[in-house]
């Protein structure tokens, strides 16, 4: 293929990113949209960049050194990237290449001023904007200056910020090449940015226009505050006109300067309302062409608007796809399940196929559509009450949507909305045999699943699994199971409400539920203390575990003195809990049984921080505290008017909560036990496909939905491009923060506590486990990297049941996600840990090692000096 060094915009389309970079491809596509005016110009292609780079023999070695630097080694990156930039700028542009550029200038008009702009092959993409990572030069005049600035653009691929951005996003420096856009300058009266969706709320129906006098550079650089206009349905619905004291103008001889704006013009609107609406109409046309919301750079010259750039807005959370034009309100599943990371397609589809309610995917996360429940008064009240007790932020976000006039349709009550949450207890007896029966029934069902799946392979396996998923849902729908869960939750609410009213006690149920029997998740944490007891007395094993780096360590243990007993203890733990892992609702996540080394740091922490017999002592201590609290509460109640009745009612509720609250954790354990059985069978199929050469890698099936995986097994053919697209999309989803509530307009809501009863500067959250504790904050994002000392306070984005082994060694808990009855809250209460959840951006606002005070009764965290 012949190398091509220069192409005009008219020759470029959106598919040619590899040739002209993201910016160039977007400009080419923009130039082809009817009714959109784009200043003329051309692209210097990536072929030219590669040709120039090949002239410097030392470049390969320097790129090797650059790729080995740690992203946090700012000094190393700064020094090496500066050397590379100087080298690139010093390379002479070959004669035939400079001649091609000069010919293109002659076609466009050599005496015209130009903007010379970097256009990397990894920028202005749907999954990564790279905005501001490379350089732009305005009002460049004459061939010599333009050639010089093209070299500068090539060099800007290696600015410190661009290098760091690529390293943090896992992008190889060699995989990115630089094209350069050379575009005729526009000398506008006004310029700015148009977002075709509100960049703050995400609302796709609201366009935002930012405008200032002169060139748009003043706005982009942040040196001038813009006028801001918001447009909805062709009408300006809000505007903020500010004093614009400075503007950037072009100099006659080239370059730009910042000048003062005439005092009489400073507070005049940059655009009329009619101009704003016209501009947004152009933006909607561009958005329709590219199929997603756009961030558009525009100029207003004498004869109208010109568009100088358009790129996807990559920070917006995607909206679930629907086949209607109705309004929808979605609630995040991840915030209820304590797993807000993105899930791979197989994980999403298996959860959808086994869930109790229809679930909608967006941004690698799942959402439940609650529009109809919000539409009628009775079901709305029941939903808000139930959600509000668990997570007041979700309730607040839903109430914000309900305040939008007419967004949620108003429907008459279709029928009874169910008993209000927190009302009469569920109609079952307080009988421990109910819990025993439920667990036995579930265990039998899982045993049958393990037995029956063994002989299933190929398409027959998928048919079997579809039936197994229906059985899975039948178990979850078991009315007795739902009644047992609700009985424990409602008894908890009753105790907190009544003892607050009668005795002024806050969150009394937190102590009354300590060491409640039958909680499979809290037992899991205590059982790892027992494993540590076996290992602690075997110093050779402890030393060996401190150097574990791979998953073969269990086989190696048997060669050590006391290693067989240590291995047997770990194996027994994995037999009971090995199906668990962080983010366990995603079937594609590696389980402890698959990656047992994950548990080693926690075992070693337990060896270091605890004495033998700690598990039994911890459980007994919790039970004793709960008994003491019960006696205290009942004796105080009997001293009140009508005290015997109040004490008797309370005693019944304490018995009820201790009978059923432990079962709250069991259904999730059952789900995850089934998931591991499904996964092992699916991975066996994937391995067969990989050995047959159908799949490059066994785990590529994680990027297919269950149905797509089924189709591949039937056809023995796979679409490699689809898998690559899914991998790229999954990587991009990590940069998105899922909202608690999302609307079909794209509005993303996180909710607010709206409290004024916390100290100034405190971080507000939801109180889920009573008590106050002070200690060192350990900000931990990955359980495998935990290094905890006794008395530490764990600060993390979310905790699902797999984190409970860490809970036995900490003094308190702070999370960004969670509610009153989510798993982290339940286990914190089980272990008597003061805990505050739902603290927005806790892992950013609290630094690792800081001393903090957790107010688990009142729901806030103080950062101490």
């Amino acid at each position: 293929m012949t190398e091509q060094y220069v192409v005009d915009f008219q020759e470029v389309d959106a598919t040619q990113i590899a040739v002209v970079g993201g910016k160039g491809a977007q400009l080419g596509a923009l130039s082809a949209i009817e009714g959109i005016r784009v200043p003329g110009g051309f692209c210097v292609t990536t072929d030219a960049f590669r040709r120039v780079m090949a002239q410097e023999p030392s470049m390969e070695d320097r790129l090797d050194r650059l790729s080995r630097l740690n992203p946090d080694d700012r000094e190393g990156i700064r020094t090496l990237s500066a050397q590379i930039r100087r080298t690139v700028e010093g390379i002479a542009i070959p004669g035939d290449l400079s001649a091609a550029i000069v010919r293109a200038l002659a076609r466009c008009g050599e005496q015209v001023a130009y903007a010379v702009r970097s256009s990397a092959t990894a920028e202005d993409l749907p999954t990564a904007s790279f905005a501001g990572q490379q350089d732009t030069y305005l009002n460049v005049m004459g061939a010599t200056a333009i050639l010089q600035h093209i070299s500068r653009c090539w060099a800007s691929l290696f600015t410190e910020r661009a290098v760091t951005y690529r390293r943090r996003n896992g992008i190889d420096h060699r995989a990115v090449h630089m094209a350069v856009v050379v575009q005729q300058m526009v000398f506008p009266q006004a310029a700015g940015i148009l977002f075709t969706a509100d960049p703050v709320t995400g609302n796709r129906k609201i366009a935002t226009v930012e405008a200032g006098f002169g060139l748009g550079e003043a706005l982009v650089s942040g040196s001038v505050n813009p006028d801001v206009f918001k447009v909805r349905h062709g009408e300006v619905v809000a505007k903020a006109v500010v004093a614009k004291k400075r503007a950037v103008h072009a100099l006659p001889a080239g370059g730009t300067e910042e000048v003062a704006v005439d005092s009489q013009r400073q507070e005049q609107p940059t655009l009329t309302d009619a101009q704003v609406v016209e501009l947004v109409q152009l933006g909607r046309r561009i958005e329709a062409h590219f199929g997603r919301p756009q961030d558009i750079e525009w100029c207003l010259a004498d004869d109208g608007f010109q568009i100088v750039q358009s790129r996807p807005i990559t920070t917006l959370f995607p909206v679930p796809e629907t086949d209607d034009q109705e309004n929808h309100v979605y609630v995040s599943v991840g915030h209820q399940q304590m797993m807000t990371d993105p899930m791979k397609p197989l994980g999403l589809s298996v959860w959808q196929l086994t869930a109790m309610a229809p679930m909608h995917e967006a941004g690698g996360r799942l959402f439940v559509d609650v529009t109809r429940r919000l539409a009628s008064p009775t079901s709305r009240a029941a939903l808000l009450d139930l959600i509000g007790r668990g997570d007041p932020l979700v309730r607040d976000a839903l109430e914000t949507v309900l305040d939008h006039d007419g967004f949620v349709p108003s429907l008459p009550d279709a029928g009874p909305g169910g008993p209000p949450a927190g009302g009469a207890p569920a109609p079952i007896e307080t009988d421990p045999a109910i819990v025993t029966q439920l667990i036995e029934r579930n265990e039998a069902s899982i045993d049958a699943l393990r037995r029956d799946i063994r002989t299933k392979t190929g398409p027959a396996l998928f048919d079997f699994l579809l039936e197994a998923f229906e059985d899975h849902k039948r178990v979850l729908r078991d009315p007795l199971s739902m009644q047992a869960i609700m009985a424990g939750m409602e008894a908890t609410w009753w105790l907190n409400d009544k003892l607050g009213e009668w005795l002024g006690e806050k969150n009394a149920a937190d102590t009354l539920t300590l060491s409640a029997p039958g909680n499979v998740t809290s037992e899991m944490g205590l059982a790892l203390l027992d494993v540590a007891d076996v290992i602690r007395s075997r110093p050779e094993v402890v030393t060996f575990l401190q150097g574990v780096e791979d998953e073969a360590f269990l086989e190696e243990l048997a060669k050590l003195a006391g290693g067989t007993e240590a291995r047997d203890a770990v194996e027994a733990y994995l037999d009971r809990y090995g199906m668990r892992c962080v983010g366990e609702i995603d079937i594609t996540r590696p389980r402890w049984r698959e990656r047992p080394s994950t548990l080693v740091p926690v075992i070693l922490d337990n060896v270091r921080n605890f004495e033998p017999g700690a598990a039994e002592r911890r459980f007994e201590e919790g039970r004793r505290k709960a008994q003491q609290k019960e006696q205290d509460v009942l004796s105080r109640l009997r001293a009140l008017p009508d005290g015997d009745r109040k004490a008797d009612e309370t005693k019944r509720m304490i018995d009820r909560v201790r009978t059923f609250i432990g079962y709250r954790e069991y259904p999730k354990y059952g789900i995850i036990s089934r998931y591991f059985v499904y996964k092992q069978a699916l991975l066996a199929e994937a391995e067969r496909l990989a050995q047959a050469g159908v799949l490059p890698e066994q785990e590529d099936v994680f990027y297919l939905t269950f149905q797509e995986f089924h189709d591949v097994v039937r056809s023995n053919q796979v679409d490699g491009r689809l898998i690559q697209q899914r991998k790229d999309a999954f990587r991009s989803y990590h940069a998105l923060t899922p909202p608690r509530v999302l609307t079909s307009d794209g509005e993303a809501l996180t909710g607010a506590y709206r409290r004024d009863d916390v100290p100034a500067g405190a971080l507000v959250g939801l109180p889920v486990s009573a008590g106050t504790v002070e200690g060192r904050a350990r900000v931990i994002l990955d359980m495998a990297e935990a290094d905890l000392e006794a008395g530490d306070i764990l600060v993390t984005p979310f905790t699902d049941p797999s984190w409970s082994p860490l809970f036995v060694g900490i003094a308190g808990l702070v999370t960004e996600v969670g509610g009153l009855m989510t798993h982290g809250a339940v286990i914190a209460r089980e272990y008597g840990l003061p805990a505050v959840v739902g603290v927005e951006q806790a892992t950013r606002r609290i630094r690792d090692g800081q001393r903090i005070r957790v107010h688990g009764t009142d729901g806030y965290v103080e950062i101490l000096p």
Side-chain angles (χ1 to χ4, degrees), residues 744-772:
S744 49
D745 281 357
E747 187 173 5
L749 301 107
T750 56
Y753 287 107
R754 307 190 191 283
R755 290 173 54 188
D756 54 11
D757 59 343
V758 297
L763 310 184
V764 184
L766 181 66
V768 295
S769 185
T772 301

Side-chain angles (χ1 to χ4, degrees), residues 380-397:
R380 178 192 312 141
L383 176 68
L384 291 176
D385 188 37
L386 184 65
I387 279 180
R389 283 182 176 274
D391 188 340
L393 289 177
V394 176
R395 176 176 182 145
D396 181 78

Side-chain angles (χ1 to χ4, degrees), residues 307-337:
I307 305 300
V308 294
Q309 189 49 262
S310 183
R311 63 176 68 85
I313 307 176
T314 58
T315 55
L316 297 177
F317 199 87
V319 178
E321 292 182 10
T322 60
D323 54 6
D324 61 41
Q325 298 300 310
E326 303 295 318
N327 290 344
H328 295 271
V329 183
Y330 303 98
V331 170
S332 162
V333 172
H335 284 81
Q336 312 305 310
Q337 291 294 336

Side-chain angles (χ1 to χ4, degrees), residues 554-792:
L554 286 172
E555 298 165 23
E556 298 295 315
L557 270 178
K559 301 172 185 175
L560 306 175
T564 303
E565 295 87 348
R567 183 197 61 193
D568 291 349
V570 175
E571 287 283 2
Y573 186 87
L574 291 171
D575 287 344
R576 177 92 168 113
Y577 304 110
M579 78 294 288
R580 309 216 83 150
C581 67
V582 173
E584 60 191 10
I585 68 170
D586 182 352
I587 197 172
T588 71
R589 289 284 190 106
R591 310 284 134 175
W592 290 342
R593 171 53 81 183
E594 297 168 311
R595 199 173 288 175
S597 63
T598 306
L599 294 170
V600 170
V602 191
I603 293 170
L604 290 172
D605 281 348
N606 288 348
V607 166
R608 186 174 68 247
N609 295 332
F610 291 92
E611 296 296 321
E616 189 176 348
R617 282 197 306 278
R618 286 288 296 267
F619 189 80
E620 281 305 310
E621 183 186 349
R623 200 167 58 81
R624 183 175 47 76
K625 283 182 180 175
Q627 282 182 329
Q628 287 175 346
K629 185 69 172 180
E630 177 179 330
Q631 290 164 6
D632 170 60
V633 162
L634 295 177
S635 65
R636 288 163 61 198
L637 285 172
R638 289 196 177 97
L640 298 176
D642 197 18
D644 287 344
R645 179 189 63 81
K646 290 173 179 171
D648 289 346
E649 278 189 51
T650 301
K651 172 61 177 164
R652 282 199 299 276
M653 285 299 178
I654 291 172
D655 290 347
R656 195 166 180 78
V657 81
R658 291 193 68 80
T659 298
F660 292 116
I661 202 65
Y663 179 72
R664 164 77 179 79
E665 291 293 297
Y666 188 83
K668 181 78 169 282
Y669 175 81
I671 290 170
I672 302 308
S673 297
R674 289 171 193 278
Y675 265 30
F676 194 39
V677 179
Y678 306 153
K679 182 179 185 180
Q680 288 172 305
L682 290 169
L683 278 178
E685 282 303 303
E687 179 61 22
R688 183 186 65 75
L689 291 170
Q691 288 179 349
V694 177
L695 286 173
E697 299 282 342
Q698 180 189 35
E699 293 190 356
D700 283 349
V701 295
F702 293 165
Y703 297 93
L704 300 173
T705 66
F706 181 84
Q707 186 56 55
E708 289 165 348
F709 189 0
H710 192 178
D711 293 341
V712 170
V713 167
R714 279 197 295 247
S715 67
N716 277 323
Q717 290 183 316
V718 70
D719 183 347
R721 286 174 306 175
L722 175 67
I723 288 175
Q724 189 55 52
Q725 286 168 5
R726 296 269 177 82
K727 287 180 178 179
D728 292 341
F730 178 71
R731 195 180 303 116
S732 75
Y733 293 153
H734 282 278
L736 300 173
T737 301
R740 285 178 172 80
V741 171
L742 180 67
T743 73
S744 49
D745 281 357
E747 187 173 5
L749 301 107
T750 56
Y753 287 107
R754 307 190 191 283
R755 290 173 54 188
D756 54 11
D757 59 343
V758 297
L763 310 184
V764 184
L766 181 66
V768 295
S769 185
T772 301
V773 68
E774 190 177 305
R776 179 179 67 156
R778 294 311 315 271
V779 179
I780 295 174
L781 307 181
D782 181 349
M783 179 179 156
E785 293 172 7
D787 181 14
L788 296 164
E789 300 287 347
D792 283 347

Side-chain angles (χ1 to χ4, degrees), residues 28 60 105 219 229 276 280 352 370 403 421 477 492 501 583 626 690 804:
E60 281 297 311
L105 287 171
L219 269 59
F229 305 84
V276 171
V280 169
Q352 286 171 307
V370 296
D403 286 342
R477 283 197 196 101
T492 301
E501 177 188 337
S804 67

Side-chain angles (χ1 to χ4, degrees), residues 47-117:
D47 284 342
F49 171 76
R50 277 189 288 268
R51 167 106 180 261
V52 166
M53 292 286 281
Q55 290 182 211
E56 178 49 61
S58 69
M59 196 58 69
E60 281 297 311
D61 176 58
R62 289 181 180 183
L63 291 179
D64 276 340
R65 283 160 53 204
L66 197 62
S67 64
R68 288 196 296 269
L69 288 175
N70 188 306
D72 296 322
D73 182 2
R74 296 188 60 181
E75 188 55 42
I77 290 173
R78 184 180 299 123
T79 303
L80 187 51
S81 62
Q83 289 174 6
I84 295 173
R85 284 198 308 280
R86 283 195 299 273
T87 302
V88 173
E89 286 187 36
I91 300 171
I93 299 178
D96 59 331
L97 174 51
S98 61
I101 294 168
V102 170
R103 282 196 300 274
L105 287 171
R107 286 197 302 275
C108 294
E110 201 171 338
Q111 303 311 309
V112 176
Y114 288 89
V116 183
R117 316 172 79 186

Side-chain angles (χ1 to χ4, degrees), residues 284-301:
R284 292 289 180 218
R285 193 176 299 177
I286 294 168
E287 178 184 66
H289 179 84
F290 289 117
R292 58 183 299 153
Q294 297 287 301
D295 163 356
I296 297 166
E297 296 175 30
W298 57 270
C299 297
L300 176 64

